Amino acid sequence: MRAVVLGGGIAGLLAAQALTDHVDEVVVVERDRLPEGPQQRSGVPQSAHLHALLSRGLREIEQLLPGFAADLVAAGARVFDFSADTAIYNPSGWGARFPSPLRIYGASRLLMESVLRDRVRTHPKVEVSSGRAVEGLVGDTTTVTGVRLHATHTPIDADLVVDATGRGSRADRWLAELGCPPVPEAVVDAHVGYASRQYDIPERHTADWHACYVQLAAPHRPRGAVLAPIEGNRWIVSLLGVKAHRPTRAEGDFLNFVRSLPTPAIAHALTNATPLTPIVTTHATGNRRRYVEHARSQPTNLIRLGDAVCNLNPVYAQGMSTAAAGATLLAHCCRTRRNGTDFAARFHRQLARITDWAWQSTTAGDLSWPTTEGGPATPVQRLITRYTNHVFTSATKSPQVQRAVLDVLHLLRPPRSLLAPSTVTRTLWPPLRAPRTGAHRG
Ligand SMILES: Cc1cc2nc3c(=O)[nH]c(=O)nc-3n(C[C@H](O)[C@H](O)[C@H](O)COP(=O)(O)OP(=O)(O)OC[C@H]3O[C@@H](n4cnc5c(N)ncnc54)[C@H](O)[C@@H]3O)c2cc1C
């Protein structure tokens, strides 16, 4: 049995690994010529921006590739305690900080993908065919039998196809050519812009944090930023701005934007830091979900994964983690496969539950901006936002509430877990005095 995975990004590589125990061969078809090592390539322009791998994502990747975290560290990633060593300026102020087992592996997206690629492509069942663009599918409305490539007449035969071609996936068009009806979809776009660049970490950096995150907060804080350490003693800094506040590529604007943030913590840190890269911007940050699980007449052997099925506003850093959770689900569905059932439909129904967590939190947050496309927020969403703002206020004083917030942020617990009685009580009757662990030096 041969599986063909379209796209060799994070979702494609993880899907290939997930399939190795269940098929005879996996062919990964990637449009870019894949580099040796962590080199920028045109198919993943987002690699120039900060990529945080959440605890959930790391856990899922470790299931598929045990030792991945150790490989990342060996390649130069910086490990730190997310809750103790990250200063988070939430809508109400600095979140409480305290030791926890939540680890973050500070690394560029290029390094993460390169470590992943090195692991996956050495598997004896995996063939990575790079520099080849997929142009269509062969088959009918019930079964895909192959994949058409650019400038080649002979398709690649496939028993199972996984679309992991990312945000720009053309699978809907390819399926329409086979006669499949369109897949329902939703778009929620807060029009967030990114501008990113890397800096050398100065020797004189004395702040008591390793990473700093100034969150966007509707409706009064349309500017935010993240600074985090990555391999090579570097910081990556991504500026975040909503609509008219989207940061630009202009040299002088970068530091002016940083100085306009509601806290000077990042501006102080950058005072003596040397920029190492040009400024790179993107506006491609909208949430878009394809409800494949609700589609009629989809091929039973076509799986869609990662950004190809749902892309999420990256300020919540959930894309790689939901892709990884989808890949481990794929392995699970292969293990528990029953003859005569619709494999793809079963997979997509279960994937929808994973996607729901991420989609609910990103879209609820994004819909709190009055300018968001896909709105307005429903009364229930407005209520959730108001309650979440109270939770953030409580999280500046209570380590327990901050921990509950971080668990949701890291996709370890669903958003509804913030309604647990212990969190509700602390939120509505917050402690009178801030704990010493919340102290912050910028
Ligand atoms: C600005 C920005 C910041 C982000 N920050 C974070 C973050 O902090 N944390 C996080 O978890 N996620 C983040 N993300 C999201 C993350 O990049 C993706 O969710 C994640 O990489 C999963 O992507 P994927 O593998 O589905 O798609 P991609 O990584 O986009 O890979 C798709 C692959 O398919 C290939 N391809 C496309 N078309 C074809 C074709 N026709 N034939 C063959 N190959 C093709 C492409 O070349 C590419 O290699 C961010 C995204 C953006 C835009």
Side-chain angles (χ1 to χ4, degrees):
M1 181 172 178
R2 177 194 282 161
V4 179
V5 176
L6 319 183
I10 304 282
L13 291 168
L14 291 171
Q17 181 66 28
L19 290 167
T20 51
D21 284 341
H22 309 284
V23 299
D24 303 311
E25 59 174 319
V26 188
V27 181
V28 179
V29 185
E30 166 55 47
R31 184 172 52 196
D32 282 351
R33 289 207 175 282
L34 292 172
E36 292 296 328
Q39 305 287 326
Q40 186 69 42
R41 59 189 181 87
S42 59
V44 282
Q46 72 267 35
S47 295
H49 302 281
L50 185 141
H51 270 63
L53 180 59
L54 305 179
S55 296
R56 171 75 184 274
L58 186 68
R59 193 175 79 190
E60 303 281 350
I61 297 177
E62 280 283 336
Q63 273 190 49
L64 294 169
L65 288 164
F68 170 77
D71 289 352
L72 212 48
V73 173
R78 297 269 306 271
V79 193
F80 54 97
D81 176 341
F82 186 75
S83 62
D85 299 328
T86 305
I88 303 179
Y89 197 75
N90 80 21
S92 298
W94 294 107
R97 287 165 59 195
F98 48 90
S100 84
L102 286 177
R103 291 286 168 273
I104 203 97
Y105 288 72
S108 65
R109 150 77 194 239
L110 291 176
L111 187 71
M112 290 186 226
E113 190 180 294
S114 158
V115 169
L116 211 54
R117 195 163 57 230
D118 285 349
R119 286 286 298 269
V120 174
R121 72 173 157 196
T122 52
H123 194 288
K125 284 189 184 173
V126 175
E127 177 197 333
V128 178
S129 180
S130 82
R132 303 179 85 188
V134 177
E135 267 192 351
L137 300 169
V138 184
D140 56 30
T141 53
T142 60
T143 314
V144 173
T145 55
V147 172
R148 285 193 293 111
L149 302 179
H150 177 68
T152 316
H153 291 300
T154 322
I156 307 181
D157 294 337
D159 301 294
L160 178 70
V161 174
V162 178
D163 174 28
T165 53
R167 199 168 261 269
S169 167
R170 294 204 208 119
D172 287 335
R173 195 188 304 170
W174 300 336
L175 285 166
E177 286 164 10
L178 299 185
C180 296
V183 169
E185 65 171 46
V187 173
V188 175
D189 192 347
H191 300 286
V192 174
Y194 267 63
S196 303
R197 93 184 309 182
Q198 294 179 15
Y199 287 84
D200 207 11
I201 302 181
E203 278 173 18
R204 278 176 289 157
H205 174 61
T206 54
D208 66 352
W209 43 259
H210 291 316
C212 184
Y213 177 19
V214 181
Q215 290 182 339
L216 297 169
H220 303 300
R221 198 194 295 164
R223 292 180 175 209
V226 199
L227 176 155
I230 58 170
E231 69 276 9
N233 194 44
R234 282 175 288 157
W235 277 329
I236 183 164
V237 180
S238 285
L239 309 182
L240 322 167
V242 178
K243 268 280 205 200
H245 293 270
R246 288 184 290 206
T248 74
R249 202 177 292 141
E251 193 61 36
D253 286 357
F254 200 87
L255 285 180
N256 284 340
F257 189 104
V258 173
R259 289 188 200 106
S260 73
L261 295 171
T263 157
I266 296 181
H268 282 165
L270 293 183
T271 308
N272 296 310
T274 313
L276 298 174
T277 58
I279 299 163
V280 177
T281 56
T282 184
H283 293 173
T285 60
N287 304 283
R288 181 175 189 209
R289 182 169 179 184
R290 295 178 168 104
Y291 289 92
V292 184
E293 67 279 13
H294 296 322
R296 291 176 294 117
S297 291
Q298 293 285 298
T300 58
N301 61 342
L302 175 69
I303 296 297
R304 307 219 224 162
L305 199 63
D307 284 14
V309 72
C310 179
N311 40 76
L312 298 157
N313 181 348
V315 303
Y316 305 91
Q318 296 174 338
M320 295 188 295
S321 295
T322 47
T328 53
L329 172 66
L330 181 59
H332 167 79
C333 287
C334 288
R335 269 195 306 276
T336 55
R337 184 175 195 162
R338 288 184 302 272
N339 283 340
T341 54
D342 184 334
F343 181 73
R346 181 166 162 254
F347 169 83
H348 288 122
R349 271 197 305 274
Q350 296 189 36
L351 182 68
R353 287 188 219 133
I354 296 171
T355 311
D356 276 346
W357 279 22
W359 181 260
Q360 278 168 20
S361 51
T362 58
T363 55
D366 285 355
L367 285 170
S368 45
W369 299 98
T371 47
T372 295
E373 178 188 336
T378 61
V380 173
Q381 283 167 327
R382 281 202 295 274
L383 198 64
I384 291 170
T385 304
R386 278 183 61 188
Y387 173 70
T388 310
N389 283 335
H390 287 299
V391 173
F392 280 134
T393 305
S394 177
T396 61
K397 302 183 186 71
S398 161
Q400 291 88 347
V401 174
Q402 175 71 343
R403 180 61 207 258
V405 169
L406 297 185
D407 282 350
V408 172
L409 195 87
H410 278 260
L411 292 174
L412 297 173
R413 292 164 68 82
R416 67 169 184 281
S417 64
L418 294 178
L419 293 171
S422 56
T423 303
V424 172
T425 310
R426 289 190 172 96
T427 294
L428 300 182
W429 293 279
L432 296 175
R433 201 165 54 83
R436 283 154 57 95
T437 46
H440 163 75
R441 182 158 49 84

